[in-house]
Amino acid sequence: MEAKKDTAGVKLTSSEWSVLTCLWEDSPRTVMQLVAALGEQVGWAKSTTITTLRRMEEKGLVRVEPGARGKLYAPAVERERAVTAETHSFLDRVYQGSVGMMMSAMAKRQELSRDEVAELRSILDQIERGGKI
């Protein structure tokens, strides 16, 4: 089961993030495997998990295939695609699309550790040299 690759139109709720994170870690999974994992991770009841999975299937966020022990669920969206879309949405909403404004706000509040600053410097150096991150 391969996930989609384009970045258009991915907007996930908190519940959908929980399910997809679970599936990105290990898939495909049966309903009961998801019920157990999500019950432990976020405290969901079986009915909550089943309802969320049904809605996600209708939205095309998960794929379902028949398996030996029932339906098997897998993500229909790549993690990178979802993260990229969420990052763009957040930047647009909060910082008018400006990474500089976000970093400035974090730096002013001293919310960046020395390791994070070093990592950012390394990323910027790579970009300046024309390399891929």
Side-chain angles (χ1 to χ4, degrees), residues 14-88:
S14 178
S15 296
E16 292 165 349
W17 273 105
S18 295
V19 172
L20 285 172
T21 297
C22 192
L23 289 172
W24 286 324
E25 290 169 2
D26 183 27
S27 70
R29 289 191 185 196
T30 65
V31 170
M32 292 315 293
Q33 289 171 326
L34 287 164
V35 165
L38 292 164
E40 185 178 308
Q41 292 171 14
V42 290
W44 286 0
K46 181 179 177 181
S47 59
T48 304
T49 301
I50 291 170
T51 299
T52 303
L53 285 169
R54 188 184 78 252
R55 288 180 182 157
M56 290 178 72
E57 183 180 2
E58 289 169 1
K59 291 170 80 173
L61 298 173
V62 296
R63 273 194 298 286
V64 184
E65 292 184 359
R69 297 184 302 151
K71 293 179 179 180
L72 293 174
Y73 289 84
V77 177
E78 288 183 342
R79 182 188 302 247
E80 185 176 334
R81 175 182 175 220
V83 168
T84 299
E86 185 71 19
T87 301
H88 285 286

